[in-house]
């Protein structure tokens, strides 16, 4: 079983998925006219008006925070350190590149999720890849497949992995027994997930900005402490990415390929652009301006904040320290902890452990929200089924806190890869719709009007979406 799963993962993550994600991202970047660069400032303009919510949906800001809660996890602290250890400083450059490309992909999948969203039995917005597969492509079977992959990966296995990371960090920094950490996590998770999507959104809105800002400020302190070394580190990243550091060793090609592969893989793991996860949060928002593309801009910002800002913060902490030593075996979260400790003393170990707790715990909560959204797609909000699933999630959190997870983690990788491929195929088939929406939004902007989507102008789309959601009326 181990060999089969590892073979599939090596094939998917080593070849198929990496190139597919890059290719799709480049295609959308070109077809959207390099939207992530030309309209970079507009992301923040939309964000300024993103606190509006209504009885059917959460605010765009809450959807952004929920998406960031899932994106910003152990990968931002441990994954970046692994990428640098295995691929060299140049891996950071390729993380930046893949984030810039992925921003266009994130725009498309979140815009589609908004267009094809529905209202559940309680009148709450639901949507995501499974929904646009069913409504936009008429392929419910495809949506069912996607939902199963996502529920396995995000709803169950990834939550066990996040709990395991928290447990290990708490034991290392504070000598807290694993079972104690597990019980605390189960209780905290239960308090939030039994409140539904609005409770999750409120929690994310409060915690995510605080934890991200605290971490960024700590990285800024480290940068200011070593300001004179910053230009040299930046040049090291660029030279390493291009193989210039190894120019005389005869290993230029290998060095470049390692930097590219590690940076790209860790970047994709971190920002999740194209994976089909974040659109589940994007679809639940009531966007302002009232147009599907406006949420695309907000979620595009999520990729930027996750990789360009937060992952770069970790890279700065590691590269400005003296802890990165080839062959030392010091990598992952331990490397990040030791690196920060070399800057600010033993408090660095505690700060990283606490940061990891918040980053990973918010991921557990947001991952559950994604899984719930897809469970509703499968069984239409069956109360007993929802309670049973929540108990399974809590069981996986406890199992993750006290267990060993190599096989489980490999299974999660496989489920995530299959989920991503299914989503990318659907996005390619619906790419014309996303381009049309982007053009409609920006044509209204260019004419000085507030973009409002009126589906009556697009009869070919009207028959696919739920009546009453996009009828062109300004929201009250």
């Amino acid at each position: 079983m181990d060999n089969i799963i590892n073979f599939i993962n090596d094939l998917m993550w080593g070849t198929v998925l990496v190139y597919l994600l890059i290719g799709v991202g480049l295609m959308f970047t070109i077809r959207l006219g390099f939207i992530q660069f030309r309209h970079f400032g507009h992301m923040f303009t939309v964000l300024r008006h993103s606190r509006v919510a209504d009885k059917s949906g959460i605010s765009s800001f809450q959807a952004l925070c929920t998406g960031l809660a899932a994106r910003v996890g152990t990968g931002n602290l441990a994954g970046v350190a692994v990428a640098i250890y295995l691929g060299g400083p140049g891996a950071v450059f390729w993380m930046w590149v893949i984030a810039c490309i992925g921003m266009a992909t994130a725009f498309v999948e979140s815009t589609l999720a908004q267009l094809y969203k529905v209202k559940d039995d309680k009148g709450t917005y639901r949507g995501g890849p499974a929904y646009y597969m069913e409504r936009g492509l008429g392929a419910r079977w495809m949506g069912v497949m996607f939902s199963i992959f996502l529920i396995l990966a995000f709803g169950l296995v990834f939550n066990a992995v996040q709990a395991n990371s928290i447990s290990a960090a708490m034991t290392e920094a504070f000598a807290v027994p694993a079972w104690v950490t597990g019980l605390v996590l189960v209780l905290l998770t239960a308090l939030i997930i039994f409140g539904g999507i609005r409770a999750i959104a409120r929690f994310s809105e409060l915690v995510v900005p605080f934890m991200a800002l605290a971490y960024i400020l700590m990285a800024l302190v480290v940068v200011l402490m070593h300001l004179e070394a910053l230009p040299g580190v930046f040049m090291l990243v660029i030279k390493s990415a291009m193989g210039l550091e190894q120019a005389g060793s005869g290993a230029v090609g290998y060095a470049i390929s390692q930097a590219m592969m590690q940076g790209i893989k860790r970047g994709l793991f971190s920002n999740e652009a194209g994976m089909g996860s974040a659109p589940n949060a994007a679809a639940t928002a009531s966007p302002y301006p009232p147009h599907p593309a406006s949420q695309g801009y907000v979620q595009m910002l999520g990729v930027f904040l996750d990789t360009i800002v937060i992952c770069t913060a970790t890279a700065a902490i590691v590269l400005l320290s003296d802890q990165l030593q080839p062959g030392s075996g010091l990598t992952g979260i331990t490397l990040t902890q030791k690196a920060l400790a070399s800057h600010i003393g033993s408090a660095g170990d505690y700060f990283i452990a606490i940061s990891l707790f918040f980053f990973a715990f918010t991921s557990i909560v947001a991952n559950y929200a994604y899984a719930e959204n897809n469970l509703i797609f499968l069984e239409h909000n069956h109360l007993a089924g929802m309670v049973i699933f929540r108990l399974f999630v809590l069981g996986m959190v406890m199992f993750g806190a006290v267990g060993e997870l190599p096989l489980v983690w490999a299974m999660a990788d496989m489920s995530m890869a299959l989920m991503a491929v299914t989503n990318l195929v659907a996005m390619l088939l619906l790419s014309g719709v996303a381009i049309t929406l982007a053009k409609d939004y920006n044509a209204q902007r260019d004419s000085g009007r507030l973009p409002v989507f009126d589906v009556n102008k697009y009869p070919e789309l009207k028959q696919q979406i739920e009546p009453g959601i996009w009828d062109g009326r300004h929201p009250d």
Side-chain angles (χ1 to χ4, degrees):
M1 176 66 74
D2 286 358
N3 292 335
I4 293 172
I5 292 174
N6 289 331
F7 171 77
I8 294 173
N9 281 335
D10 289 343
L11 177 65
M12 296 297 287
W13 287 104
T15 307
V16 176
L17 192 54
V18 169
Y19 293 113
L20 185 59
L21 280 163
I22 294 172
V24 170
L26 285 172
M27 187 198 78
F28 285 133
T29 295
I30 294 168
R31 292 193 66 187
L32 290 167
F34 297 87
I35 191 172
Q36 64 269 53
F37 304 110
R38 291 192 303 115
H39 297 170
F40 183 80
H42 186 63
M43 295 188 299
F44 297 93
T45 300
V46 176
L47 188 65
R48 285 204 303 269
H49 305 286
S50 64
R51 305 302 290 271
V52 179
D54 59 29
K55 63 181 180 181
S56 297
I58 62 178
S59 71
S60 289
F61 182 71
Q62 288 176 323
L64 171 66
C65 289
T66 303
L68 279 172
R71 283 187 172 115
V72 180
T74 54
N76 295 78
L77 278 71
V80 174
V82 170
I84 294 172
Y85 179 80
L86 295 177
V92 178
F93 173 83
W94 295 109
M95 289 179 70
W96 295 337
V97 170
I98 203 63
C100 290
I101 295 171
M103 288 169 73
T105 310
F107 175 89
V108 170
E109 61 182 351
S110 294
T111 297
L112 290 172
Q114 268 289 317
L115 177 68
Y116 292 108
K117 67 187 179 184
V118 302
K119 289 184 180 179
D120 65 15
D121 300 340
K122 297 179 181 178
T124 301
Y125 287 141
R126 297 285 179 179
Y131 295 80
Y132 57 68
M133 290 168 191
E134 180 181 43
R135 290 182 164 268
L137 298 175
R140 179 170 174 81
W141 64 269
M142 194 178 189
V144 169
M145 229 169 56
F146 174 87
S147 294
I148 292 171
F149 293 145
L150 185 143
I151 289 169
L152 287 173
F154 281 80
L156 299 174
V157 183
F158 281 176
N159 282 341
V161 172
Q162 298 287 355
N164 188 266
S165 297
I166 293 173
S167 175
M170 291 297 106
T171 300
E172 176 69 22
F174 303 107
V176 178
W179 67 269
V180 174
T181 300
L183 284 178
V184 171
L185 286 175
V186 166
L187 290 173
L188 291 176
T189 303
L191 285 173
I192 297 169
I193 67 174
F194 275 90
I197 185 62
R198 290 189 181 275
I200 292 169
R202 286 193 296 269
F203 169 78
S204 300
E205 183 181 28
L206 291 173
V207 175
V208 170
F210 167 77
M211 72 177 193
L213 185 60
Y215 190 69
I216 292 166
L217 287 175
M218 177 57 73
L220 186 60
V221 168
V222 170
V223 168
L224 291 174
M225 290 170 62
H226 304 277
L227 201 56
E228 73 288 346
L230 196 60
V233 167
F234 181 77
M235 290 307 299
L236 176 64
V237 168
I238 302 301
K239 288 180 179 180
S240 177
M242 303 304 166
L244 300 179
E245 284 292 299
Q246 300 83 11
S249 68
V252 176
Y254 177 77
I256 294 175
S257 65
Q258 279 294 98
M260 285 182 65
M261 190 57 66
Q262 290 300 322
I264 289 169
K265 286 174 68 175
R266 298 300 167 180
L268 292 173
F269 264 117
S270 180
N271 64 55
E272 298 177 17
M275 297 291 181
S277 50
N280 291 275
T284 62
S286 297
Y288 187 88
H291 193 290
S294 69
Q295 193 62 37
Y297 279 104
V298 172
Q299 296 302 125
M300 190 162 66
L301 178 61
V303 175
F304 175 82
L305 293 174
D306 172 86
T307 306
I308 304 296
V309 177
I310 298 176
C311 286
T312 301
T314 299
I317 290 171
V318 172
L319 293 176
L320 288 168
S321 75
D322 57 357
Q323 298 297 304
L324 184 63
Q325 301 295 333
S328 68
L330 190 62
T331 185
I333 195 64
T334 306
L335 174 56
T336 307
Q337 284 181 303
K338 298 305 180 186
L340 187 57
S342 73
H343 297 303
I344 65 171
S346 59
D349 280 337
Y350 304 132
F351 180 85
I352 293 297
I354 293 169
S355 296
L356 183 68
F357 177 88
F358 281 107
F359 281 25
F361 179 65
T362 55
S363 290
I364 290 173
V365 171
N367 288 347
Y368 165 79
Y370 294 166
E372 177 188 283
N373 193 52
N374 284 271
L375 191 66
I376 289 172
F377 175 82
L378 294 176
E379 61 172 37
H380 302 290
N381 224 0
H382 187 271
L383 181 60
M386 190 66 69
V387 171
I388 292 171
F389 177 68
R390 287 169 178 169
L391 293 176
F392 264 109
V393 170
L394 296 176
M396 288 298 288
V397 169
M398 188 66 195
F399 167 71
V402 299
E404 296 293 330
L405 302 176
L407 178 60
V408 176
W409 180 238
M411 291 173 64
D413 283 350
M414 185 174 68
S415 295
M416 189 175 184
L418 294 170
M419 176 185 105
V421 170
T422 307
N423 180 53
L424 289 166
V425 170
M427 289 175 65
L428 287 171
L429 294 173
L430 290 168
S431 59
V433 175
I435 304 302
T436 297
L437 293 173
K439 288 180 177 178
D440 179 75
Y441 181 91
N442 287 299
Q444 294 184 62
R445 275 186 67 214
D446 292 342
S447 65
R449 292 181 290 150
L450 178 77
V452 176
F453 183 66
D454 184 359
V455 76
N456 294 307
K457 293 163 49 181
Y458 302 94
E460 71 280 8
L461 294 178
K462 188 172 183 178
Q463 59 185 350
Q464 297 177 341
I465 69 173
E466 184 163 304
I469 292 182
W470 297 113
D471 54 9
R473 293 177 299 176
H474 195 287
D476 297 331

